[in-house]
């Protein structure tokens, strides 16, 4: 148990340059507190102490702002950055070395039974405000851009952005560092294309009006 706790603390230092001391991390990092509380709640959940498990998870939610259902399965070296507003559903499965940022939802799409939440494979990164919904799989080493809404499977080694989420990079390379400010945006690119088309159409209309005016003038003569 203490080895796993030390591992969780080490991940914070690796992922967050603002971390300065062990005491600061242990006492002030809500993401770390939420993960430790979840481990306790999950242990009770597996032993079918469902009510006690939910009580622990709700107390953790009250103090950390992070809601993790006690039934969720979470691997090693899981890191929640800031964490406020993070929601992780009951049948969610998270692999090792996964990072999520504040406002992320790993949720379902309705009232269906059984596996209804995402499976997040090893080394995935899910950026601020992203929503991953339904029983889908986010492949190894993949990244979900800030604010994306993902409703379909994501292959390994991919970058997804947009609403709905679209794969914009898939080159087989492992990618761990997400540049939140310079992600491709297929929606914005399409809007720019439409704007250029509108400019061309306006120019064509102006040209046609001039030709019509010239023809009408010649007819009047």
């Amino acid at each position: 148990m203490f080895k796993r706790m030390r591992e969780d603390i080490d991940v914070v230092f690796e992922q967050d340059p603002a971390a300065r001391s062990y005491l600061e991390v242990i006492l002030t990092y809500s993401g770390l507190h939420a993960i430790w509380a979840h481990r306790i709640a999950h242990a009770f959940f597996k032993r079918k102490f469902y009510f006690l498990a939910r009580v622990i998870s709700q107390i953790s939610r009250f103090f950390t702002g992070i809601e993790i259902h006690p039934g969720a399965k979470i691997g090693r070296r899981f890191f929640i950055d800031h964490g406020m507003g993070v929601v992780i559903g009951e049948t969610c499965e998270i692999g090792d070395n996964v990072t999520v940022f504040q406002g992320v939802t790993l949720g379902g799409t309705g009232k269906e039974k059984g596996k209804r939440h995402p499976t997040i494979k090893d080394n995935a990164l899910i950026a601020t405000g992203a929503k991953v919904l339904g029983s889908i799989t986010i492949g190894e080493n993949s990244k979900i851009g800030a604010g994306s809404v993902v409703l379909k499977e994501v292959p390994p080694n991919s970058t997804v952005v947009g609403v709905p989420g679209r794969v914009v990079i898939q080159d087989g390379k492992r990618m761990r560092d997400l540049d939140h400010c310079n992600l491709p945006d297929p929606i914005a690119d399409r809007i720019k294309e439409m704007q250029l088309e509108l400019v061309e159409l306006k120019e064509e209309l102006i040209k046609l009006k001039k030709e019509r005016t010239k023809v009408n003038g010649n007819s009047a003569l």
Side-chain angles (χ1 to χ4, degrees), residues 20-218:
R20 293 180 177 83
S21 68
Y22 281 99
L23 184 62
E24 178 187 30
V25 169
I26 292 170
L27 295 180
T28 67
Y29 274 66
S30 58
L32 188 64
H33 302 157
I35 293 167
W36 287 347
H38 171 72
R39 292 219 181 104
I40 297 171
H42 186 64
F44 282 111
F45 188 88
K46 289 194 297 183
R47 290 165 177 78
K48 298 184 178 181
F49 293 101
Y50 300 127
F51 176 73
L52 183 56
R54 285 306 299 268
V55 168
I56 293 170
S57 71
Q58 290 302 300
I59 292 173
S60 173
R61 176 178 180 267
F62 178 81
F63 284 105
T64 66
I66 299 168
E67 182 172 350
I68 308 176
H69 192 285
K73 299 176 182 178
I74 298 177
R76 301 176 65 177
R77 299 174 62 81
F78 181 50
F79 177 59
I80 302 175
D81 194 3
H82 296 290
M84 180 61 70
V86 168
V87 177
I88 300 175
E90 178 185 7
T91 61
C92 190
E93 298 179 19
I94 299 174
D96 298 333
N97 300 306
V98 172
T99 298
V100 302
F101 288 78
Q102 66 270 23
V104 165
T105 298
L106 305 178
T109 57
K111 297 181 180 179
E112 67 273 14
K113 300 292 185 180
K115 184 73 168 73
R116 59 191 185 278
H117 298 103
T119 296
I120 314 298
K121 295 293 188 176
D122 297 348
N123 306 310
L125 187 150
I126 306 177
T128 304
K131 313 300 176 187
V132 183
L133 306 176
S135 182
I136 61 176
T137 298
I138 307 300
E140 293 89 348
N141 309 315
S142 290
K143 300 186 289 188
I144 309 301
S148 301
V149 178
V150 183
L151 302 172
K152 296 181 180 179
E153 302 278 331
V154 175
N157 308 306
S158 301
T159 298
V160 174
V161 299
V163 180
R166 302 177 186 180
V167 176
V168 293
I169 296 175
Q170 184 183 0
D171 58 10
K173 296 179 181 179
R174 175 170 176 161
M175 298 171 290
R176 289 290 295 149
D177 298 319
L178 180 62
D179 184 353
H180 297 266
C181 300
N182 296 304
L183 283 172
D185 189 341
I187 297 176
D189 292 342
R190 182 54 185 156
I191 291 173
K192 289 179 181 178
E193 290 175 5
M194 292 175 66
Q195 288 175 336
L196 291 173
E197 290 173 2
L198 285 172
V199 170
E200 291 176 359
L201 286 172
K202 285 180 180 180
E203 290 175 352
E204 287 291 331
L205 283 172
I206 292 170
K207 185 178 179 181
L208 288 171
K209 285 180 179 179
K210 287 180 178 179
E211 291 178 356
R212 184 176 178 181
T213 301
K214 186 176 180 180
V215 169
N216 290 338
N218 291 335

